[in-house]
Amino acid sequence: MIRWRDPRVPPAAAAAAGAAIFAVVLLTGSPAPVTGAIAGALAALVAASSLLIASVRQAAVPRPTAMGARWMGGGVVIWAAGVALGSVAESFVVSFADLFMLVGTVVTAGGALIAADRRFPARVALRHITDAYLCTASLFLIGWVVALRHVYADAADPAAFTLVMLPPLIALLVTCAVVPSVLTSKSSSWLLALAGVAALGTMTVAGLAGAVARLLDAEPQLWAVMLAPVAFLLLAAIPWGPRLRALGRPAIAPVIALVPLAMVAVAACTLLAHQAGGRAGPPITGVVVVAVSVVLLLLVRLFAVSAANVRLRGLVKLGERQLRELAESTGDVVFICDYEGVVREIGAGVEVTYGYPQKELVGGSIFDYIHPEDVPGIRVAMRAMTIEAGQYGEENAAPGACLIACRVRAADGTWRPTESVATRHAGGDDLMLVTTRDISDEEALRNQVAHLTFHDGITGLPNRAYFEERTREVLSGRTAGNVAVIFLDLDGFTSVNDSVGHASGDYLLGQAARRLRGAVGADDTLARWGGDEFAVLVETGGEAQLAVDLAERLVGAVSQEPFRVADRDVALTASVGVAFAEDDVPAGDLMRNADVAMARSKELGGRRVEVFAAQMHADVVRRLELAADLQRALIEQQFAIEYQPVVDLATSRVTAVEALVRWWRGSVFVPPEQFLGPAEDTGLIVPLSEWILRESCREVAAWRASSWDIGLSLNLSARQIMAPRFVETVEEALTESGLPAASLTLEVIEEMLVEDAEETIKRLSELRALGVRLAIDDFGTGYASLAFLRQLPVDMIKIDPSFVSGLGKDDTLTLLTRTIVRLGHDLGLIVVAEGIERPEQLDLLKRMGCTRGQGFLVARPMAARGVDSLMRTSLTV
C-alpha cells in the first residue's frame, strides 16, 4: 500500500494548485519557453512541497518511500531551475541550464529507484545499463530515420548537432535504465515510483523538444513544454490520492527483458527500410558509431547469455548428480522410467539394496519385480500422472509427487516392502524420476510396536487392551451364556516382590504365565490383566461347567508345586472369579463381574473359585457408597467416642479406659465391623484414628487433672502405623493434651506384626522410646506371638474374647487361658482379659491370677459423661 493521507491537507489541494498555475500562465500571454518555465517552476515547487510535507508529517511512511519522495522533489526543482535559467539567459551550445536539467533528471531517477526499493549487485546493474543503452540507441536510430535526419539537414549549425542532442539523450538513457526496475518492483510505494518515471519521461521529452528547437533556431511547441508541469502536479497529488495496491508483478520481468532486443529489431528494420527506399548519401559519423555500438553490444550480450546458459546447464547436471548421490547415500534407489514402466536409467544402489546388476534392469519393466497384487494400483497412479501432464502440458503441469507403497522382489526371492516417490522428470517427455526406499526395517519395527501395544513385555501374553478388544469382539457375535470370563490373582505375590525383588517377581510371573498357558485350551484367550492378575476368555458353547472346570485347573496349575525363584522355593495359591455373559451385558460389565468374583474369592481366604452372583456386585456398590459416606461423616464430624473401662479384677478399681469409635449415620447406628474395614481399605482410617487419638487424649488428660490416675488404650490399624508422620502425630497429641506418655497404651493385633514386620517393629520401637506403652491385642489368635514378644518391648497382652468365652465350658480353652496368664506373669507383663460377660468367667480369671479385665459384665462402653459420672460417684465398678 502506498497511501499517505493527512487529514490536515485536503485531497483537492494539488488540483487547486494546478488550476491556479495554468490560469496564471494563460493570462500572461508570454512566449512558449517563458510560459513553460513559469509553469514548470510553479509545478515543481508544488510537487516538492507536497512530497516533503508528506514524508515529514506521516510517521507511518516507510523510510525508502520518504527518501524517494525527497529525492524526487529535489530533482524536479533542480530541473525546473534549469528550464527557467535557459529561458532567460543567452546560452552556448551546452549551457549551465542544460547541466541543471541533466542533474535534475538524474536526481529524480534516483528518487524513483529509492521509492521502488530496488538494489542490484554490480553484474545486474551492468546488464541494466547495457539494456538501457540498447533502448536509447534504438530510439535514437528510429528517431533519426523519422525526423532527426531532417533536423540535422536543416540545422543552422550542423556541427553542433551532437553536443546539443547529448544532454537529452543522456536523460533518455537514465529513463530507460529506471523504467524496468520500477515496473517490476513490489514495493508499497510502487505508485509513487511510477509517477516519478512519468515525470522522467516528460522531462526527457521536454529536453528533446528544446534541443530540436535550438538546432532549428525556433521556439518549442507549447504542448512539449507543458508536459513536465502536468507530470509534476500528478507527482504532487500521489501522496494524497486514494489507496491503491502495487501493481508490479514478477511475471512481467521476462517481457521487460525482451524489450531492448525488440527495440533493436525495430531500429534495424527502420534503417533497412530507409536504406532500401532512400537515396544514397554520405554516411553520418555519429549514426554509424551508434549502429556499430549496438551491434557490438548485442554480440557481447549474446556471448554473456551463452556463457550463462552453459554455466546453468553445468549447475543443473551437478545438482542432479548430487541429488542422486545424496539419495543413494541414504540407501534409496533412484531410477528414471517412462509411463509404461520401462526403466531408462537406474542408480548403482539397486545392486546393494536388492542384489540386481544395473544392466539387468535397464530396458526392462518395473512391473516384473513388483508384487502382482500391487500392480493395478501403481498403474492407476501412473495413468493419473499421465493425464495431469497431458491436461496442463509438460511445461505447465503441476510438479506434484506421487507416493507409492508396494512390495518389490529382491534377487534372493524375498518380497520387501518399499515406499517410492514418483515425479515428472524434467529431462524429457513422458519420463518419471522415481526414488525407492526399502522399509523392511521400519515395517519390522512397526510390527514390533504393534505387538508390544497389545502384548505384555514380561509374560509375552496379550495385555489388557487386547483382552478388552477381544472380549467386545467375541460378545458381538455370540449369544448369552456361551461366553465366560475368568479372573485370576496370585495370592501372596506382593511378599515375593518385597522379599526377593521385582526382577525375581517378574521371573515368577513368566513361570506362572507358562503354567496357565498350558492349562487353557487353544481357542481360549489368556492375557495378563496387570500386576499379578490374569484373565481368560472362554467360549463355553452353552456349558457353564466347562468354565468352572477350567478355573479349577488354573488354581491347581498355580498351587501344584512351588515356583523356583532366586534359589528358593516360593509357594503361591490363586484366587479365581468366574462370570458368565448374560443378555445385553456389555463387555466392560462382564469383566467387572469376574473381577468382583475374584475379589470375593480373595476375601474368603484364596485358593478357591467363586462364580459371580448379583449379590456380589451389590456388596461392592454398598461398600463404595459406605466409603463415600465415611468421608462425608469425617468432614461433618458424625463420629463419637465411647470409653470401656478396664478394671483391676482384685479391687474392681478402674485403671484405664479403651477408646472405641461409634458412628451414627443420621439416626441409624452403624456397627464398627461394617465401616472399619472400608475405612482401612480407602485409607480414611488414618485421619479417623488421628481424630480419635487427639480427642481421647484430651478427655483422659482432663480426668487425670481431677486427681484420677487413669490410663488410655487405643487400637492401631496397619495403615495408621505406616502413615508417614505416625510417630510425630502421637507425640503432638500427647503434647497438646498434656497426657503423660506412660498413660497411653497402643494396641496392635498379631497380623500387623507379621506383615512388613521390620518396618512395623521399627515404628513401634520409636513409640516405645517416647514412653508410650504397647499391648498385643487378641493374643493367642495369630501365628507369631511368642517370636515377637522377644523382639518387641511389649508391656501388656490382652487375651482374645474367644478364649474367655470358653471358660468353665471348654477345658481346652480354660487350659490355654491359664497358660497365657502364666506366660504373661513369667514375662513380667500385664495380662488383660477381654469379653468378660459371665460371673463364672470373672471368678476363674481371678483364681488364675489375671490382674485386669474388661467386658459387659465389668462395665459396658459409655460416653464421656458416663465416665465423668463414674469418676464423681465411685472409682470402682
Side-chain angles (χ1 to χ4, degrees):
M1 305 295 293
I2 65 164
R3 174 72 180 101
W4 312 343
R5 179 175 292 282
D6 189 331
R8 291 169 293 182
V9 181
I21 290 169
F22 282 102
V24 171
V25 170
L26 293 176
L27 291 174
T28 58
S30 302
V34 178
T35 301
I38 296 173
L42 294 176
L45 289 174
V46 171
S49 301
S50 174
L51 294 173
L52 181 60
I53 292 172
S55 64
V56 171
R57 284 190 176 182
Q58 300 185 16
V61 177
R63 188 171 182 275
T65 304
M67 289 295 296
R70 294 168 189 172
W71 275 60
M72 284 188 283
V76 296
V77 169
I78 295 173
W79 187 87
V83 173
L85 184 61
S87 64
V88 298
E90 295 292 336
S91 63
F92 298 98
V93 177
V94 177
S95 64
F96 286 107
D98 295 324
L99 294 179
F100 266 84
M101 295 172 64
L102 185 58
V103 171
T105 302
V106 173
V107 172
T108 305
L113 284 177
I114 294 174
D117 198 15
R118 301 303 299 269
R119 298 177 182 85
F120 304 103
R123 180 179 300 175
V124 177
L126 181 60
R127 192 183 73 225
H128 277 244
I129 294 173
T130 303
D131 291 344
Y133 177 80
L134 290 175
C135 292
T136 303
S138 300
L139 289 174
F140 173 74
L141 293 176
I142 295 171
W144 175 262
V145 173
V146 175
L148 292 182
R149 59 190 180 93
H150 302 295
V151 173
Y152 178 78
D154 298 338
D157 186 5
F161 181 84
T162 302
L163 293 176
V164 173
M165 294 298 296
L166 186 60
L169 288 177
I170 294 176
L172 179 60
L173 176 66
V174 171
T175 303
C176 292
V178 171
V179 168
S181 300
V182 172
L183 291 180
T184 57
S185 170
K186 292 186 287 185
S187 170
S188 60
S189 55
W190 176 83
L191 192 58
L192 177 65
L194 189 62
V197 168
L200 277 176
T202 58
M203 291 156 66
T204 302
V205 171
L208 286 171
V212 171
R214 192 184 309 171
L215 288 173
L216 297 178
D217 196 15
E219 292 185 0
Q221 297 293 323
L222 182 59
W223 65 267
V225 298
M226 292 302 294
L227 282 178
V230 172
F232 294 165
L233 292 177
L234 175 63
L235 187 60
I238 286 296
W240 318 103
R243 297 177 180 270
L244 293 175
R245 291 186 177 274
L247 302 177
R249 298 181 180 86
I252 68 173
V255 178
I256 294 176
L258 295 176
V259 169
L261 299 178
M263 296 186 68
V264 170
V266 172
C269 293
T270 304
L271 287 175
L272 289 175
H274 171 64
Q275 293 295 328
R279 61 182 185 276
I284 306 302
T285 303
V287 176
V288 173
V289 170
V290 172
V292 171
S293 65
V294 169
V295 174
L296 291 177
L297 275 179
L298 283 176
L299 291 175
V300 171
R301 284 297 305 275
L302 288 175
F303 176 78
V305 170
S306 299
N309 190 28
V310 171
R311 184 172 61 86
L312 289 176
R313 286 182 179 274
L315 290 175
V316 170
K317 291 182 179 179
L318 176 63
E320 290 184 351
R321 185 174 72 252
Q322 290 176 342
L323 179 61
R324 184 171 301 175
E325 291 175 353
L326 177 63
E328 293 182 352
S329 67
T330 60
D332 296 349
V333 177
V334 181
F335 64 92
I336 298 173
C337 68
D338 58 21
Y339 288 106
E340 298 298 326
V342 178
V343 179
R344 302 291 183 86
E345 185 179 352
I346 194 167
V350 68
E351 188 167 0
V352 177
T353 305
Y354 296 102
Y356 295 111
Q358 288 178 269
K359 296 181 180 179
E360 180 179 340
L361 299 178
V362 175
S365 174
I366 60 174
F367 299 113
D368 296 338
Y369 304 93
I370 297 176
H371 196 283
E373 295 178 359
D374 301 332
V375 169
I378 297 176
R379 289 190 180 277
V380 170
M382 295 174 66
R383 191 178 303 112
M385 292 183 67
T386 307
I387 294 173
E388 181 184 2
Q391 179 178 358
Y392 297 104
E394 292 295 331
E395 295 296 330
N396 300 320
C402 179
L403 182 63
I404 299 172
C406 64
R407 290 161 288 178
V408 174
R409 187 180 70 246
D412 58 3
T414 59
W415 293 101
R416 300 186 185 180
T418 64
E419 285 183 352
S420 303
V421 177
T423 58
R424 291 186 305 106
H425 184 49
D429 296 343
D430 299 330
L431 291 181
M432 292 189 304
L433 176 65
V434 184
T435 303
T436 300
R437 171 172 296 181
D438 184 356
I439 58 170
S440 299
D441 294 339
E442 290 87 340
E443 190 73 16
L445 181 61
R446 277 197 293 267
N447 293 336
Q448 182 180 1
V449 170
H451 179 81
L452 293 176
T453 303
F454 293 103
H455 287 77
D456 176 54
I458 295 176
T459 62
L461 297 175
N463 59 12
R464 177 175 178 172
Y466 179 89
F467 189 84
E468 291 175 341
E469 182 64 29
R470 176 63 180 161
T471 303
R472 284 191 290 268
E473 178 184 342
V474 170
L475 286 181
S476 64
R478 298 288 187 275
T479 57
N482 291 341
V483 178
V485 171
I486 301 174
F487 266 43
L488 180 146
D489 180 84
L490 299 177
D491 302 326
F493 178 78
T494 303
S495 61
V496 176
N497 280 337
D498 296 339
S499 59
V500 297
H502 288 274
S504 298
D506 292 344
Y507 179 69
L508 188 149
L509 287 175
Q511 295 183 57
R514 286 190 290 273
R515 291 189 187 183
L516 297 176
R517 191 183 293 113
V520 302
D523 296 333
D524 301 331
T525 301
L526 171 65
R528 183 188 176 197
W529 186 255
D532 59 347
E533 297 181 5
F534 297 85
V536 184
L537 180 64
V538 185
E539 300 181 47
T540 63
E543 299 182 23
Q545 190 61 37
L546 291 177
V548 177
D549 292 342
L550 174 58
E552 296 286 355
R553 289 199 304 271
L554 294 176
V555 173
V558 172
S559 58
Q560 62 184 359
E561 58 178 330
F563 295 91
R564 188 67 179 173
V565 179
D567 297 328
R568 68 179 70 178
D569 290 334
V570 177
L572 296 179
T573 59
S575 300
V576 179
V578 182
F580 294 95
E582 300 177 0
D583 292 335
D584 300 326
V585 173
D589 291 352
L590 177 60
M591 291 180 282
R592 180 206 62 198
N593 294 343
D595 193 14
V596 169
M598 182 193 70
R600 177 63 176 169
S601 172
K602 205 169 188 67
E603 289 176 0
L604 296 176
R607 196 173 183 176
R608 59 186 294 144
V609 176
E610 286 291 324
V611 178
F612 175 79
Q615 183 62 32
M616 292 182 181
H617 182 241
D619 291 342
V620 172
V621 173
R622 193 158 42 246
R623 287 174 69 89
L624 291 175
E625 292 175 350
L626 185 63
D629 291 343
L630 271 172
Q631 190 166 14
R632 190 181 309 109
L634 192 61
I635 297 173
E636 298 175 357
Q637 298 182 349
Q638 297 178 5
F639 294 100
I641 300 176
E642 290 187 349
Y643 300 92
Q644 185 172 29
V646 178
V647 302
D648 186 327
L649 297 183
T651 64
S652 295
R653 180 182 178 84
V654 178
T655 60
V657 290
E658 181 178 357
L660 304 173
V661 65
R662 298 292 184 256
W663 180 22
W664 290 88
R665 185 162 50 176
S667 59
V668 179
F669 175 74
V670 183
E673 60 270 16
Q674 291 187 11
F675 70 83
L676 288 180
E680 179 80 13
D681 295 339
T682 59
L684 291 174
I685 194 68
V686 174
L688 177 60
S689 299
E690 182 177 341
W691 176 78
I692 297 171
L693 173 66
R694 295 181 185 275
E695 286 294 314
S696 58
C697 284
R698 183 181 57 80
E699 287 283 0
V700 173
W703 294 330
R704 289 180 62 85
S706 301
S707 302
W708 185 13
D709 185 13
I710 187 172
L712 171 66
S713 292
L714 284 174
N715 292 290
L716 295 180
S717 69
R719 284 220 179 191
Q720 188 179 9
I721 295 176
M722 292 304 165
R725 297 187 69 257
F726 169 61
V727 178
E728 290 83 351
T729 301
V730 174
E731 186 176 8
E732 290 171 1
L734 292 173
T735 303
E736 292 172 1
S737 63
L739 182 70
S743 300
L744 177 63
T745 302
L746 298 178
E747 304 175 7
V748 295
I749 60 175
E750 296 179 62
E751 285 78 0
M752 297 182 192
L753 302 176
V754 177
E755 298 178 2
D756 203 356
E758 182 178 351
E759 184 65 22
T760 301
I761 292 175
K762 176 185 174 184
R763 295 288 184 93
L764 294 178
S765 299
E766 292 176 2
L767 288 174
R768 194 66 182 82
L770 294 177
V772 176
R773 295 185 176 189
L774 299 178
I776 296 181
D777 196 14
D778 300 337
F779 187 83
T781 59
Y783 26 73
S785 300
L786 297 178
F788 283 99
L789 283 176
R790 179 177 56 84
Q791 299 181 33
L792 193 64
V794 177
D795 301 279
M796 180 186 300
I797 56 176
K798 303 185 74 170
I799 303 174
D800 187 73
S802 62
F803 292 100
V804 177
S805 63
L807 293 178
K809 296 181 179 180
D810 190 315
D811 294 340
T812 302
L813 291 177
T814 303
L815 177 61
L816 288 174
T817 304
R818 181 177 292 110
T819 302
I820 294 173
V821 172
R822 185 179 299 118
L823 175 65
H825 289 166
D826 293 343
L827 294 175
L829 304 177
I830 299 174
V831 180
V832 179
E834 294 182 292
I836 303 175
E837 297 180 352
R838 301 193 311 274
E840 60 268 25
Q841 295 172 344
L842 179 60
D843 184 59
L844 282 173
L845 288 170
K846 287 181 179 180
R847 282 186 287 165
M848 291 178 185
C850 182
T851 56
R852 297 183 184 181
Q854 65 184 101
F856 285 178
L857 178 66
V858 177
R860 289 179 175 273
M862 61 188 72
R865 60 178 177 272
V867 179
D868 288 337
S869 176
L870 179 66
M871 181 184 66
R872 287 191 297 269
T873 57
S874 172
L875 297 180
T876 60
V877 295

